[in-house]
Amino acid sequence: MDNFVRVYSGGELVKGPSGVEFGGLSEEGIWFKAAPTYGELIDAVYEKLGLDPATHSLRAQGRTNVGGGAHRHFILVPISDDMSWSNYVKAVFNGTDWNCLEVYVQTEKRASTSTEVVSSEPALMDSEPPDSQRQNAPPPDPAQGASLFTPSMVNAYAPTVHSLRARLRKPRTNTRTYAAKGSAEVQFGQYQCGASEPVDTTTYTLIGLYDMDHRARALASGKNLTELNPRNREPLRFDKRYECYLRSGGLMGLVNISKAGLPSIDRALVSALVDRWRPETHTFHMPCGELTITLQDVSMILGLPIAGRAVTLNQTECYSESYQRYLGKRPPLDKARHGLKVAWVRAEFNNCPEDADEETVKRHARAYILSLVGGLLFPDASGDRYNAYPFPLIADLENIGSYSWGSATLAYLYRAMCDACRRQSEQGNLTGCLLLLQLWSWERFPIGRPDMVKLKYPNVDELEDERDRPTVGLRWVVGVCTYRSAPARCYEHFTNEFDLLTDDQVVWSPYREERVEKLQLAPICTQDSHLWLTQAPLVFFFMVEVYTPERVMRQFGLHQECPPPFRDTSVELHWYVQRCLC
């Protein structure tokens, strides 16, 4: 019922096991003849509470359930105008089973001699230290940050909120300002943690080359976008005779996930994530701060090696000759398109003969590894081909493990998202290692995540080699999971949920020792941990991507400098790759 609103006031909020609870607050029910506007709601609240707008101001926050099924999790979202009220109503009624409008109201007595406002009621306190709160807590007024703009890296003092459907507004006038020496004017704003901190009001547009066509800008302007089309391909059939080459290549983690059964890619979830990807920083811009997929995630989820040579080479032999030499067969000639046709590879190499000699097994192993690497880690947009760029490196089975497949996977995924976040057509594709993207999301966010009913890992004592031990990602395919029914307009629902994401919903450090100790992970998951915070570029052949772990130090359990140091991800590098692909 969108014409009935429950209003709570006059006390303190409580954090319970299901998120925000109203406890013993005073409750009033307000009926409207039709769905109210924001102005009608505020007028009715003033009347119901017996307050005079001339002497008191109101701060409203709506409570909504962002959990799923029986797993409810309530959060508060700020309501300050018609747009934020409309977004809140849609979030409540689109796809959740808690269809009730609940508004928490704080009253503020207007000062007669000063414009500085002191809240008469305590704010909801976060359970984390002040530094962590300040890093991720957005200002309750969306006007100070709900936009498609980011603060200047020179003058910014606090993170901003990026609501995909918010528009630029003028800052509220009930704040006091001061002029900082040698900088632009900044304002004091009230933070969620209850402490007053300076908030930068000087903004600059995100890099025009990216922002002009960014999906987030289109959503903010009211355009209805469709989901991106994920591109990935199933690998060939596994044969136990390939294991010796896969172990030495550091690929057993990925193989185990593939053997157990790859999860279907949730196109609505990955599309909603890409909408929040920013090529300028190589991070997802969430309401509670920045997050990104790091080398640590690649190691822990997929078990890919980080240390090693860059995945690139100066090719001197044409690919058709390499296929003939290392596969024993030459594929049908197709000069117009690069890569190997999936249908041809499957027809020739999907089943290794039982009586195959060693050379035949090696050829089938190369084809299997190509399907694994070219189909899952580096899939292209064709839909019917395996990416053949890595084949010359795969051909030398003895040296596959000498390459940094983990950093190359991350470079390729970064570039794929940098391209996809600017695709608005119904035929827009999304490539990159989507298995990594989806499992990373499940580890950190409740949005679109299946419920893990029972963890079911293999008995490591029965394994032949410790390198066959599981990775973190395996738990999502071998565990007993229940998948929630997809809500109506699933993509829109996930977009709204990310708009309402709060700090306490994010699992910032999913790989803490107490969480993974019982999993008895493969050694490769942690053997390259000394490289997780490197600032070296990520390389995949002609792709060079800037790696920025300094922007997401909280994901490593470390203190986050705010604002983080700025390093340019380089428009020129992205443009260079586009020219190479033409």
Side-chain angles (χ1 to χ4, degrees):
M1 295 184 295
D2 59 358
N3 63 334
F4 178 74
V5 181
R6 292 177 180 172
V7 178
Y8 298 85
S9 62
E12 297 185 18
L13 294 169
V14 177
K15 272 198 172 181
S18 298
V20 177
E21 297 177 0
F22 292 121
L25 295 182
S26 173
E27 177 184 353
E28 300 282 354
I30 305 178
W31 284 96
F32 297 87
K33 292 182 179 180
T37 64
Y38 171 74
E40 291 170 342
L41 170 68
I42 295 301
D43 290 342
V45 172
Y46 270 118
E47 182 178 352
K48 179 66 72 171
L49 299 183
L51 298 176
D52 184 356
T55 59
H56 289 77
S57 64
L58 297 180
R59 176 185 170 215
Q61 299 177 82
R63 189 174 84 149
T64 184
N65 172 33
V66 294
H71 300 273
R72 291 173 176 165
H73 185 87
F74 295 98
I75 65 170
L76 287 181
V77 295
I79 302 172
S80 60
D81 57 14
D82 281 325
M83 177 168 290
S84 56
W85 169 247
S86 175
N87 286 341
Y88 166 66
V89 173
K90 285 193 292 185
V92 170
F93 291 105
N94 285 358
T96 69
D97 61 351
W98 191 263
N99 298 332
C100 182
L101 299 175
E102 300 174 311
V103 177
Y104 170 56
V105 174
Q106 291 176 285
T107 62
E108 298 175 338
K109 190 172 183 179
R110 300 188 188 277
S112 57
T113 59
S114 172
T115 59
E116 183 179 4
V117 177
V118 179
S119 173
S120 62
E121 298 179 70
L124 180 64
M125 297 295 290
D126 286 335
S127 60
E128 296 186 284
D131 286 344
S132 297
Q133 294 171 349
R134 186 168 61 251
Q135 173 205 352
N136 297 287
D141 178 14
Q144 295 181 350
S147 69
L148 293 172
F149 296 83
T150 55
S152 165
M153 302 311 298
V154 176
N155 296 316
Y157 291 90
T160 56
V161 183
H162 302 280
S163 174
L164 292 184
R165 300 187 182 275
R167 290 179 171 85
L168 291 175
R169 308 177 190 81
K170 293 182 179 180
R172 293 169 62 182
T173 57
N174 60 348
T175 55
R176 56 188 175 90
T177 64
Y178 76 99
K181 182 178 179 181
S183 67
E185 189 177 76
V186 295
Q187 290 187 333
F188 276 99
Q190 184 68 26
Y191 268 71
Q192 211 172 15
C193 61
S196 291
E197 293 290 341
V199 180
D200 178 42
T201 58
T202 60
T203 59
Y204 68 92
T205 57
L206 294 166
I207 297 176
L209 175 65
Y210 304 133
D211 200 49
M212 179 173 56
D213 299 322
H214 202 287
R215 291 173 63 89
R217 177 168 288 279
L219 288 171
S221 64
K223 184 175 180 179
N224 291 322
L225 298 181
T226 58
E227 302 164 352
L228 294 164
N229 300 308
R231 296 293 191 185
N232 63 332
R233 281 161 281 288
E234 293 280 340
L236 299 179
R237 183 173 300 168
F238 173 79
D239 191 295
K240 195 171 180 62
R241 287 170 288 180
Y242 307 155
E243 282 187 347
C244 58
Y245 307 114
L246 294 165
R247 288 194 188 105
S248 62
L251 299 175
M252 280 305 297
L254 183 62
V255 170
N256 287 334
I257 295 176
S258 176
K259 287 165 52 182
L262 295 171
S264 299
I265 298 300
D266 188 334
R267 58 196 300 165
L269 175 61
V270 296
S271 298
L273 280 169
V274 170
D275 291 346
R276 289 193 165 274
W277 178 260
R278 293 306 315 189
E280 298 89 342
T281 58
H282 284 168
T283 57
F284 298 99
H285 287 202
M286 298 293 181
C288 51
E290 294 182 30
L291 293 97
T292 197
I293 306 172
T294 67
L295 292 174
Q296 180 190 39
D297 297 304
V298 179
S299 295
M300 299 297 286
I301 294 175
L302 300 182
L304 294 176
I306 305 300
R309 293 181 286 174
V311 177
T312 187
L313 83 162
N314 183 16
Q315 178 73 353
T316 57
E317 183 180 41
C318 71
Y319 277 84
S320 60
E321 293 177 357
S322 295
Y323 299 148
Q324 180 66 52
R325 175 184 299 188
Y326 295 107
L327 294 180
K329 299 177 181 180
R330 191 185 297 266
L333 184 63
D334 187 355
K335 294 183 178 180
R337 300 171 65 186
H338 186 73
L340 284 172
K341 287 186 177 180
V342 173
W344 180 82
V345 176
R346 287 191 175 279
E348 299 291 342
F349 300 101
N350 199 38
N351 296 291
C352 186
E354 292 291 338
D355 57 350
D357 56 24
E358 182 180 358
E359 185 58 33
T360 302
V361 171
K362 284 185 176 181
R363 290 171 178 171
H364 280 74
R366 292 186 184 104
Y368 175 79
I369 296 173
L370 175 64
S371 71
L372 194 71
V373 172
L376 290 180
L377 301 185
F378 314 113
D380 61 21
S382 66
D384 63 347
R385 293 171 182 267
Y386 289 124
N387 188 339
Y389 276 110
F391 183 76
L393 308 183
I394 294 170
D396 184 2
L397 291 174
E398 307 302 324
N399 290 310
I400 293 178
S402 65
Y403 293 96
S404 177
W405 296 106
S407 65
T409 299
L410 199 55
Y412 197 85
L413 179 58
Y414 278 9
R415 179 54 53 84
M417 292 191 291
C418 287
D419 291 340
C421 71
R422 291 177 285 139
R423 293 177 180 147
Q424 300 182 22
S425 71
E426 294 184 1
Q427 294 76 36
N429 293 324
L430 174 61
T431 61
C433 187
L434 303 184
L435 173 66
L436 172 62
L437 176 61
Q438 181 162 293
L439 296 183
W440 175 85
S441 179
W442 288 356
E443 286 290 337
R444 296 185 181 275
F445 308 125
I447 300 168
R449 178 172 61 196
D451 296 321
M452 180 70 70
V453 178
K454 182 179 179 182
L455 186 61
K456 191 177 180 182
Y457 256 19
N459 187 350
V460 297
D461 295 331
E462 299 177 356
L463 299 176
E464 299 177 7
D465 194 301
E466 66 174 3
R467 290 174 292 183
D468 297 344
R469 288 184 178 184
T471 62
V472 172
L474 185 63
R475 72 191 190 105
W476 293 106
V477 294
V478 300
V480 180
C481 297
T482 59
Y483 292 84
R484 305 168 188 172
S485 58
R489 300 186 298 279
C490 194
Y491 171 52
E492 180 182 349
H493 178 76
F494 287 158
T495 299
N496 289 334
E497 286 201 48
F498 277 118
D499 277 347
L500 303 176
L501 189 70
T502 59
D503 177 86
D504 58 348
Q505 288 181 278
V506 179
V507 181
W508 293 95
S509 301
Y511 314 122
R512 295 193 303 271
E513 185 175 352
E514 62 271 19
R515 287 175 61 95
V516 299
E517 184 177 9
K518 61 182 179 181
L519 302 182
Q520 296 182 277
L521 300 177
I524 197 171
C525 290
T526 55
Q527 72 179 22
D528 296 330
S529 60
H530 61 289
L531 297 175
W532 290 346
L533 290 174
T534 182
Q535 293 190 359
L538 309 173
V539 178
F540 174 78
F541 287 92
F542 47 79
M543 297 181 182
V544 179
E545 293 295 317
V546 177
Y547 179 57
T548 58
E550 69 274 11
R551 302 191 69 89
V552 292
M553 298 300 284
R554 190 176 179 187
Q555 291 182 212
F556 299 95
L558 303 174
H559 172 73
Q560 176 65 61
E561 182 181 353
C562 188
F566 178 71
R567 281 194 295 137
D568 188 5
T569 57
S570 182
V571 173
E572 289 76 14
L573 281 177
H574 290 79
W575 175 240
Y576 174 74
V577 170
Q578 290 172 0
R579 287 184 293 165
C580 287
L581 291 175
C582 293

